[in-house]
Amino acid sequence: MPERTYQWKLSQIRKHIDVISNKLAPKTVLKNATILHSYLRQWIKGNIWIADDRIVYIGDQLPEQMNQTEMIDCANKIVVPGYIEPHAHPFQLYNPLSLAKYVSKSGTTTFVGDNLFFLLQYDKKKALTFLDDVGKLPYHFYWWSRFDLQTEVHGEERIFSHDFLKQWLAHPSVIQGGELTSWPKLLDGDDWILYWLRETKRRGKKIEGHLPGASQSTLLKMKLFGVDSDHESMNGKDVMNRLKMGYTAALRHSSIRPDLPKLLQEVQNEGLTTYDHVYFTTDGATPTFYKDGMMNQCIDIALQANVPAIDAYHMATFNIAKYYQLDDQIGVIAPGRMATLNILESIDNPAPSSVMAKGEWLVKDGVQQEVNDNINWGKYGLQPMKFNWELTMDDLQFSMPVGMKMKNSVIMEPYSLAIDSSVNQLSTDHDESFLALIDRNGEWRINTVLKGFSKKIQGFASSYSTTGDIILMGKSKDDMLAAFKRMKEIGGGIVVCEREKVIFELALQLNGSASNEELEMIISKQTDFFEKLKERGYLFDDPIYSLLFFSSTHLPYIRITPRGIFDVMKKTVLFPSIMR
């Protein structure tokens, strides 16, 4: 089991023993509840005693000492563990706090998060301090440690120093390595990655793969390398192949891959009868996808697909906790565990009426409670971007013979340019636009043409990208300059201009990559953004993911990266970035 800080001090444990010995009163008692007992795989009737942030008793008895005890009658109510998101990307316009605050209302209170943001856009010295501090909030945050950046950057060896990776893997809230997007390098003989996989396993932590379309031979080899789970199943056969090889398989339901209804039907058709090694993930969906909650939506879909109710709830709770070896703390309603639980009106409705995390009410009888969950982002160096450089028309020279063609929201193919890209204004008769990636510090740029994004978007600037560098796009160079100017004024974000006037803006106050506003506001802004892009010819599912994956080299076929235009299949830079 991975080493981690034990949750309770000696004096607290003695206090908990005194509570069940009827020497002290519990803080809260939930009586007459129907409880999901995960070890029995049964719904049982009983009372739950809570002392501080810990469940200390489940059974038929009520405490003798009840001085100032909060007594909640849960007759005709259902109590289940708090829901867990096992694969979160917590900087998708939102930030970890705004995400947790919003989706906890619908019962998801635990998150296992990506650390890519910390690697590419963060002061590494402050990252682990952030992990310590965010762990004190009334939510459960765990993290993973990447071994690759899923893009091509200058100085990758400085980012992945031995000492930094060692510190990450040693942190008690880091519970896995991965997600392993650079597995082709591993297959090609990269012993540096293999070393860190072995170190992860030596520390008793899990390794998550990223294996879309992997053959059975590749799955077998990755299992021998030490990969424990994968969330990239595209169909039921993929799920079954992973289970047959001893993987834990995630069923994904996200804004870019809303696959859960299809996956459930297909695994049932494939003959799956036990769900013990399967769990849900929403895989870092963009904000609007979470309008009606997070893991509660997945449970609801499973219930509608006739998955047994206990299995449906376990795939969002117990199965995940067992996999990560956290079931001694979370994911279970049992003595000794954290008091993180949801109270439901019925088994058929996974959206809770009350939510408790770490013994603290987040929602009570449908009313969101005031909790101390503030973060001083400036303490960690997360603040609006500052630009000490200017963008000029000289930076918008497009003479490259090869462009990028969008096959869907995230897949890019190379294509030969047939338009005159030396002009300042492109026609709206076609779907080709200027595209540039410019260093956030103004040191380099790479310019090409993008086909398929839109016919009518004139000027577009975004500091939201994989690397935190600046994406410029559009038909009009003048509008691209105007969009950049406004993005600079608001300290980073997404800006769309027409006729040099702003028609949309979303400020991203945290290093230009995430908003510090409430998720409700971000959902509203994202909805407006989608509508404006669709009106101007965006045809795909999710432009936020398009922005994020322009530079992501774990996807085919061609990418625009800090090193230049990159051929993913050949692993070569076709056209290098140039210094400004």
Side-chain angles (χ1 to χ4, degrees), residues 458-506:
Q458 298 300 307
F460 184 106
S462 173
S463 57
Y464 178 80
S465 65
T466 295
T467 59
D469 297 308
I470 310 304
I471 297 170
L472 295 176
M473 202 170 9
K475 296 283 188 176
S476 165
K477 293 181 180 179
D478 288 331
D479 280 316
M480 292 166 68
L481 289 171
F484 175 82
K485 179 181 178 182
R486 180 55 183 163
M487 186 203 68
K488 181 178 178 179
E489 290 172 350
I490 63 176
I494 299 173
V495 177
V496 183
C497 283
E498 283 182 2
R499 298 176 184 175
E500 301 183 45
K501 294 187 181 299
V502 175
I503 63 168
F504 173 83
E505 67 178 48
L506 170 61

Short mmCIF file of all heavy atoms in Angstrom, two decimals, residues 458-506:
data_model
loop_
_atom_site.label_atom_id
_atom_site.label_comp_id
_atom_site.label_asym_id
_atom_site.label_seq_id
_atom_site.Cartn_x
_atom_site.Cartn_y
_atom_site.Cartn_z
N GLN A 458 -13.29 35.85 -37.82
CA GLN A 458 -12.33 36.82 -38.33
C GLN A 458 -11.07 36.91 -37.48
O GLN A 458 -9.96 36.87 -37.99
CB GLN A 458 -13.00 38.20 -38.43
CG GLN A 458 -14.19 38.24 -39.40
CD GLN A 458 -13.77 37.88 -40.82
OE1 GLN A 458 -12.84 38.47 -41.38
NE2 GLN A 458 -14.45 36.92 -41.41
N GLY A 459 -11.25 37.05 -36.18
CA GLY A 459 -10.10 37.16 -35.28
C GLY A 459 -10.34 36.40 -34.00
O GLY A 459 -11.39 36.56 -33.36
N PHE A 460 -9.39 35.57 -33.62
CA PHE A 460 -9.56 34.69 -32.47
C PHE A 460 -8.21 34.61 -31.75
O PHE A 460 -7.18 34.35 -32.39
CB PHE A 460 -9.98 33.31 -32.97
CG PHE A 460 -10.28 32.29 -31.90
CD1 PHE A 460 -11.58 31.94 -31.62
CD2 PHE A 460 -9.27 31.67 -31.18
CE1 PHE A 460 -11.88 30.99 -30.66
CE2 PHE A 460 -9.53 30.74 -30.21
CZ PHE A 460 -10.85 30.39 -29.95
N ALA A 461 -8.21 34.82 -30.45
CA ALA A 461 -6.99 34.68 -29.65
C ALA A 461 -7.30 33.89 -28.39
O ALA A 461 -8.35 34.11 -27.76
CB ALA A 461 -6.42 36.05 -29.28
N SER A 462 -6.41 32.99 -28.03
CA SER A 462 -6.64 32.16 -26.84
C SER A 462 -5.32 31.88 -26.14
O SER A 462 -4.35 31.42 -26.76
CB SER A 462 -7.30 30.84 -27.23
OG SER A 462 -7.37 29.96 -26.12
N SER A 463 -5.27 32.14 -24.85
CA SER A 463 -4.15 31.69 -24.03
C SER A 463 -4.44 30.32 -23.43
O SER A 463 -3.60 29.74 -22.75
CB SER A 463 -3.87 32.69 -22.91
OG SER A 463 -5.02 32.89 -22.11
N TYR A 464 -5.64 29.81 -23.68
CA TYR A 464 -6.00 28.46 -23.25
C TYR A 464 -5.49 27.48 -24.30
O TYR A 464 -5.94 27.48 -25.46
CB TYR A 464 -7.52 28.33 -23.11
CG TYR A 464 -7.97 26.94 -22.72
CD1 TYR A 464 -7.91 26.52 -21.40
CD2 TYR A 464 -8.46 26.06 -23.67
CE1 TYR A 464 -8.32 25.25 -21.04
CE2 TYR A 464 -8.88 24.78 -23.32
CZ TYR A 464 -8.80 24.39 -22.00
OH TYR A 464 -9.20 23.12 -21.65
N SER A 465 -4.50 26.67 -23.92
CA SER A 465 -3.90 25.70 -24.83
C SER A 465 -3.19 24.67 -23.98
O SER A 465 -3.07 24.83 -22.75
CB SER A 465 -2.92 26.38 -25.78
OG SER A 465 -1.80 26.91 -25.07
N THR A 466 -2.70 23.61 -24.59
CA THR A 466 -2.00 22.57 -23.84
C THR A 466 -0.83 23.15 -23.07
O THR A 466 -0.61 22.84 -21.89
CB THR A 466 -1.50 21.46 -24.79
OG1 THR A 466 -2.63 20.81 -25.36
CG2 THR A 466 -0.66 20.44 -24.04
N THR A 467 -0.05 24.00 -23.72
CA THR A 467 1.20 24.49 -23.14
C THR A 467 1.07 25.85 -22.48
O THR A 467 2.01 26.32 -21.85
CB THR A 467 2.27 24.58 -24.24
OG1 THR A 467 1.79 25.47 -25.27
CG2 THR A 467 2.55 23.22 -24.85
N GLY A 468 -0.09 26.51 -22.65
CA GLY A 468 -0.24 27.86 -22.13
C GLY A 468 0.31 28.91 -23.08
O GLY A 468 0.33 30.11 -22.74
N ASP A 469 0.73 28.50 -24.28
CA ASP A 469 1.15 29.46 -25.29
C ASP A 469 -0.07 29.98 -26.04
O ASP A 469 -1.19 29.50 -25.84
CB ASP A 469 2.16 28.80 -26.24
CG ASP A 469 3.43 28.38 -25.50
OD1 ASP A 469 4.01 29.23 -24.80
OD2 ASP A 469 3.83 27.20 -25.61
N ILE A 470 0.14 30.97 -26.89
CA ILE A 470 -0.97 31.74 -27.46
C ILE A 470 -1.38 31.19 -28.82
O ILE A 470 -0.54 31.08 -29.73
CB ILE A 470 -0.59 33.23 -27.59
CG1 ILE A 470 -0.03 33.76 -26.27
CG2 ILE A 470 -1.80 34.04 -28.05
CD1 ILE A 470 -0.92 33.58 -25.07
N ILE A 471 -2.65 30.85 -28.96
CA ILE A 471 -3.22 30.43 -30.23
C ILE A 471 -3.89 31.64 -30.88
O ILE A 471 -4.73 32.30 -30.26
CB ILE A 471 -4.25 29.31 -30.05
CG1 ILE A 471 -3.59 28.06 -29.47
CG2 ILE A 471 -4.95 28.98 -31.37
CD1 ILE A 471 -4.58 26.98 -29.04
N LEU A 472 -3.51 31.94 -32.11
CA LEU A 472 -4.15 32.98 -32.91
C LEU A 472 -4.74 32.34 -34.15
O LEU A 472 -4.11 31.48 -34.77
CB LEU A 472 -3.15 34.06 -33.32
CG LEU A 472 -2.52 34.91 -32.22
CD1 LEU A 472 -1.49 35.85 -32.81
CD2 LEU A 472 -3.59 35.69 -31.48
N MET A 473 -5.95 32.79 -34.51
CA MET A 473 -6.65 32.16 -35.61
C MET A 473 -7.59 33.17 -36.24
O MET A 473 -8.02 34.12 -35.58
CB MET A 473 -7.44 30.97 -35.05
CG MET A 473 -7.81 29.91 -36.04
SD MET A 473 -8.48 28.41 -35.27
CE MET A 473 -8.70 28.82 -33.56
N GLY A 474 -7.93 32.97 -37.52
CA GLY A 474 -8.95 33.80 -38.12
C GLY A 474 -8.73 34.04 -39.60
O GLY A 474 -7.74 33.62 -40.19
N LYS A 475 -9.70 34.76 -40.17
CA LYS A 475 -9.64 35.14 -41.58
C LYS A 475 -8.92 36.48 -41.78
O LYS A 475 -8.38 36.74 -42.85
CB LYS A 475 -11.07 35.27 -42.12
CG LYS A 475 -11.88 33.98 -42.13
CD LYS A 475 -11.47 33.09 -43.28
CE LYS A 475 -12.40 31.91 -43.42
NZ LYS A 475 -12.09 31.09 -44.61
N SER A 476 -8.96 37.32 -40.77
CA SER A 476 -8.45 38.69 -40.89
C SER A 476 -7.28 38.91 -39.94
O SER A 476 -7.42 38.75 -38.72
CB SER A 476 -9.57 39.68 -40.57
OG SER A 476 -9.05 40.97 -40.33
N LYS A 477 -6.16 39.31 -40.49
CA LYS A 477 -5.00 39.60 -39.65
C LYS A 477 -5.26 40.79 -38.74
O LYS A 477 -4.81 40.81 -37.58
CB LYS A 477 -3.77 39.84 -40.52
CG LYS A 477 -3.30 38.61 -41.27
CD LYS A 477 -2.06 38.90 -42.11
CE LYS A 477 -1.58 37.67 -42.86
NZ LYS A 477 -0.40 37.93 -43.71
N ASP A 478 -6.00 41.77 -39.22
CA ASP A 478 -6.33 42.93 -38.37
C ASP A 478 -7.17 42.50 -37.17
O ASP A 478 -6.95 42.96 -36.05
CB ASP A 478 -7.08 43.99 -39.19
CG ASP A 478 -6.19 44.70 -40.19
OD1 ASP A 478 -4.98 44.82 -39.92
OD2 ASP A 478 -6.70 45.14 -41.23
N ASP A 479 -8.12 41.59 -37.41
CA ASP A 479 -8.96 41.12 -36.29
C ASP A 479 -8.18 40.20 -35.37
O ASP A 479 -8.44 40.16 -34.16
CB ASP A 479 -10.20 40.41 -36.84
CG ASP A 479 -11.28 41.39 -37.28
OD1 ASP A 479 -11.54 42.35 -36.53
OD2 ASP A 479 -11.85 41.19 -38.36
N MET A 480 -7.23 39.46 -35.89
CA MET A 480 -6.37 38.64 -35.04
C MET A 480 -5.54 39.52 -34.11
O MET A 480 -5.40 39.23 -32.92
CB MET A 480 -5.47 37.76 -35.90
CG MET A 480 -6.23 36.67 -36.67
SD MET A 480 -5.25 35.88 -37.98
CE MET A 480 -4.03 34.99 -37.03
N LEU A 481 -5.01 40.62 -34.64
CA LEU A 481 -4.27 41.56 -33.81
C LEU A 481 -5.17 42.19 -32.76
O LEU A 481 -4.78 42.37 -31.60
CB LEU A 481 -3.64 42.64 -34.68
CG LEU A 481 -2.47 42.22 -35.57
CD1 LEU A 481 -2.09 43.35 -36.53
CD2 LEU A 481 -1.26 41.82 -34.74
N ALA A 482 -6.42 42.53 -33.14
CA ALA A 482 -7.36 43.12 -32.19
C ALA A 482 -7.72 42.14 -31.08
O ALA A 482 -7.83 42.52 -29.91
CB ALA A 482 -8.62 43.59 -32.94
N ALA A 483 -7.92 40.86 -31.45
CA ALA A 483 -8.25 39.85 -30.46
C ALA A 483 -7.10 39.65 -29.49
O ALA A 483 -7.29 39.52 -28.27
CB ALA A 483 -8.61 38.54 -31.15
N PHE A 484 -5.87 39.63 -30.03
CA PHE A 484 -4.71 39.50 -29.15
C PHE A 484 -4.60 40.69 -28.21
O PHE A 484 -4.32 40.52 -27.01
CB PHE A 484 -3.42 39.38 -29.99
CG PHE A 484 -2.19 39.36 -29.14
CD1 PHE A 484 -1.76 38.19 -28.54
CD2 PHE A 484 -1.46 40.52 -28.92
CE1 PHE A 484 -0.62 38.18 -27.74
CE2 PHE A 484 -0.32 40.52 -28.13
CZ PHE A 484 0.10 39.35 -27.54
N LYS A 485 -4.82 41.89 -28.73
CA LYS A 485 -4.72 43.09 -27.90
C LYS A 485 -5.70 43.02 -26.72
O LYS A 485 -5.33 43.33 -25.57
CB LYS A 485 -5.00 44.34 -28.74
CG LYS A 485 -4.93 45.63 -27.96
CD LYS A 485 -5.24 46.83 -28.85
CE LYS A 485 -5.23 48.13 -28.04
NZ LYS A 485 -5.59 49.31 -28.88
N ARG A 486 -6.93 42.60 -26.99
CA ARG A 486 -7.92 42.52 -25.91
C ARG A 486 -7.57 41.38 -24.94
O ARG A 486 -7.71 41.55 -23.72
CB ARG A 486 -9.31 42.29 -26.49
CG ARG A 486 -10.40 42.20 -25.43
CD ARG A 486 -10.42 43.42 -24.53
NE ARG A 486 -11.41 43.29 -23.46
CZ ARG A 486 -11.43 44.04 -22.37
NH1 ARG A 486 -10.52 44.98 -22.18
NH2 ARG A 486 -12.36 43.86 -21.45
N MET A 487 -7.09 40.26 -25.46
CA MET A 487 -6.68 39.16 -24.59
C MET A 487 -5.56 39.61 -23.65
O MET A 487 -5.54 39.26 -22.47
CB MET A 487 -6.23 37.97 -25.43
CG MET A 487 -5.91 36.72 -24.61
SD MET A 487 -4.79 35.62 -25.46
CE MET A 487 -3.29 36.58 -25.45
N LYS A 488 -4.67 40.42 -24.18
CA LYS A 488 -3.58 40.96 -23.37
C LYS A 488 -4.12 41.87 -22.27
O LYS A 488 -3.67 41.82 -21.12
CB LYS A 488 -2.62 41.72 -24.29
CG LYS A 488 -1.41 42.32 -23.62
CD LYS A 488 -0.51 42.99 -24.67
CE LYS A 488 0.70 43.65 -24.04
NZ LYS A 488 1.57 44.29 -25.06
N GLU A 489 -5.12 42.69 -22.60
CA GLU A 489 -5.70 43.64 -21.63
C GLU A 489 -6.38 42.92 -20.47
O GLU A 489 -6.34 43.41 -19.33
CB GLU A 489 -6.69 44.56 -22.34
CG GLU A 489 -6.06 45.55 -23.29
CD GLU A 489 -7.09 46.31 -24.12
OE1 GLU A 489 -8.29 45.93 -24.10
OE2 GLU A 489 -6.70 47.26 -24.82
N ILE A 490 -7.02 41.78 -20.75
CA ILE A 490 -7.76 41.08 -19.68
C ILE A 490 -6.88 40.06 -18.95
O ILE A 490 -7.38 39.33 -18.08
CB ILE A 490 -9.03 40.40 -20.23
CG1 ILE A 490 -8.69 39.33 -21.26
CG2 ILE A 490 -9.98 41.45 -20.80
CD1 ILE A 490 -9.92 38.56 -21.77
N GLY A 491 -5.59 40.01 -19.29
CA GLY A 491 -4.68 39.13 -18.57
C GLY A 491 -4.78 37.68 -18.97
O GLY A 491 -4.49 36.79 -18.17
N GLY A 492 -5.16 37.43 -20.23
CA GLY A 492 -5.27 36.07 -20.73
C GLY A 492 -6.71 35.63 -20.79
O GLY A 492 -7.56 36.05 -20.00
N GLY A 493 -6.99 34.76 -21.76
CA GLY A 493 -8.34 34.26 -21.92
C GLY A 493 -8.62 33.92 -23.36
O GLY A 493 -7.71 33.66 -24.15
N ILE A 494 -9.91 33.94 -23.72
CA ILE A 494 -10.36 33.65 -25.09
C ILE A 494 -11.12 34.87 -25.59
O ILE A 494 -12.04 35.34 -24.91
CB ILE A 494 -11.25 32.40 -25.13
CG1 ILE A 494 -10.48 31.17 -24.64
CG2 ILE A 494 -11.77 32.16 -26.55
CD1 ILE A 494 -11.33 29.93 -24.49
N VAL A 495 -10.75 35.37 -26.77
CA VAL A 495 -11.37 36.57 -27.32
C VAL A 495 -11.67 36.33 -28.80
O VAL A 495 -10.84 35.77 -29.53
CB VAL A 495 -10.44 37.80 -27.19
CG1 VAL A 495 -11.07 39.02 -27.85
CG2 VAL A 495 -10.15 38.08 -25.71
N VAL A 496 -12.86 36.76 -29.23
CA VAL A 496 -13.24 36.70 -30.63
C VAL A 496 -13.59 38.12 -31.09
O VAL A 496 -14.34 38.83 -30.41
CB VAL A 496 -14.46 35.76 -30.86
CG1 VAL A 496 -14.78 35.66 -32.36
CG2 VAL A 496 -14.18 34.37 -30.28
N CYS A 497 -13.03 38.51 -32.24
CA CYS A 497 -13.25 39.86 -32.77
C CYS A 497 -13.80 39.81 -34.19
O CYS A 497 -13.46 38.91 -34.96
CB CYS A 497 -11.95 40.67 -32.77
SG CYS A 497 -11.46 41.29 -31.15
N GLU A 498 -14.60 40.81 -34.51
CA GLU A 498 -15.05 41.06 -35.88
C GLU A 498 -14.99 42.56 -36.13
O GLU A 498 -15.47 43.35 -35.28
CB GLU A 498 -16.48 40.56 -36.10
CG GLU A 498 -16.58 39.06 -36.28
CD GLU A 498 -18.01 38.59 -36.55
OE1 GLU A 498 -18.92 39.46 -36.64
OE2 GLU A 498 -18.22 37.36 -36.64
N ARG A 499 -14.42 42.93 -37.26
CA ARG A 499 -14.27 44.35 -37.61
C ARG A 499 -13.59 45.10 -36.46
O ARG A 499 -13.94 46.23 -36.14
CB ARG A 499 -15.63 44.97 -37.95
CG ARG A 499 -16.29 44.33 -39.17
CD ARG A 499 -17.66 44.90 -39.42
NE ARG A 499 -18.30 44.20 -40.54
CZ ARG A 499 -19.55 44.41 -40.95
NH1 ARG A 499 -20.30 45.30 -40.32
NH2 ARG A 499 -20.04 43.73 -41.96
N GLU A 500 -12.65 44.40 -35.84
CA GLU A 500 -11.82 44.93 -34.76
C GLU A 500 -12.61 45.29 -33.51
O GLU A 500 -12.16 46.08 -32.68
CB GLU A 500 -10.99 46.11 -35.25
CG GLU A 500 -10.08 45.75 -36.42
CD GLU A 500 -9.20 46.88 -36.87
OE1 GLU A 500 -8.60 47.56 -36.03
OE2 GLU A 500 -9.13 47.11 -38.10
N LYS A 501 -13.81 44.70 -33.36
CA LYS A 501 -14.62 44.86 -32.16
C LYS A 501 -14.81 43.50 -31.50
O LYS A 501 -15.00 42.48 -32.17
CB LYS A 501 -15.98 45.48 -32.50
CG LYS A 501 -15.89 46.91 -33.01
CD LYS A 501 -17.27 47.52 -33.15
CE LYS A 501 -17.19 48.95 -33.67
NZ LYS A 501 -16.43 49.84 -32.75
N VAL A 502 -14.78 43.48 -30.18
CA VAL A 502 -14.90 42.24 -29.42
C VAL A 502 -16.36 41.78 -29.44
O VAL A 502 -17.26 42.54 -29.06
CB VAL A 502 -14.43 42.44 -27.97
CG1 VAL A 502 -14.68 41.18 -27.15
CG2 VAL A 502 -12.95 42.82 -27.94
N ILE A 503 -16.59 40.55 -29.89
CA ILE A 503 -17.94 39.98 -29.85
C ILE A 503 -18.05 38.88 -28.78
O ILE A 503 -19.15 38.44 -28.45
CB ILE A 503 -18.37 39.43 -31.21
CG1 ILE A 503 -17.46 38.28 -31.65
CG2 ILE A 503 -18.40 40.54 -32.26
CD1 ILE A 503 -18.00 37.51 -32.85
N PHE A 504 -16.91 38.42 -28.26
CA PHE A 504 -16.92 37.46 -27.15
C PHE A 504 -15.59 37.56 -26.42
O PHE A 504 -14.54 37.68 -27.05
CB PHE A 504 -17.12 36.02 -27.62
CG PHE A 504 -16.97 35.02 -26.50
CD1 PHE A 504 -18.04 34.74 -25.67
CD2 PHE A 504 -15.75 34.40 -26.24
CE1 PHE A 504 -17.90 33.86 -24.60
CE2 PHE A 504 -15.60 33.51 -25.19
CZ PHE A 504 -16.68 33.25 -24.37
N GLU A 505 -15.66 37.46 -25.09
CA GLU A 505 -14.43 37.32 -24.31
C GLU A 505 -14.70 36.53 -23.04
O GLU A 505 -15.77 36.60 -22.44
CB GLU A 505 -13.81 38.68 -23.97
CG GLU A 505 -14.63 39.53 -23.02
CD GLU A 505 -13.92 40.84 -22.69
OE1 GLU A 505 -13.44 41.54 -23.61
OE2 GLU A 505 -13.85 41.17 -21.48
N LEU A 506 -13.73 35.74 -22.69
CA LEU A 506 -13.75 34.99 -21.43
C LEU A 506 -12.39 35.17 -20.78
O LEU A 506 -11.39 34.67 -21.28
CB LEU A 506 -14.03 33.50 -21.68
CG LEU A 506 -13.85 32.55 -20.48
CD1 LEU A 506 -14.79 32.93 -19.35
CD2 LEU A 506 -14.05 31.11 -20.90
#
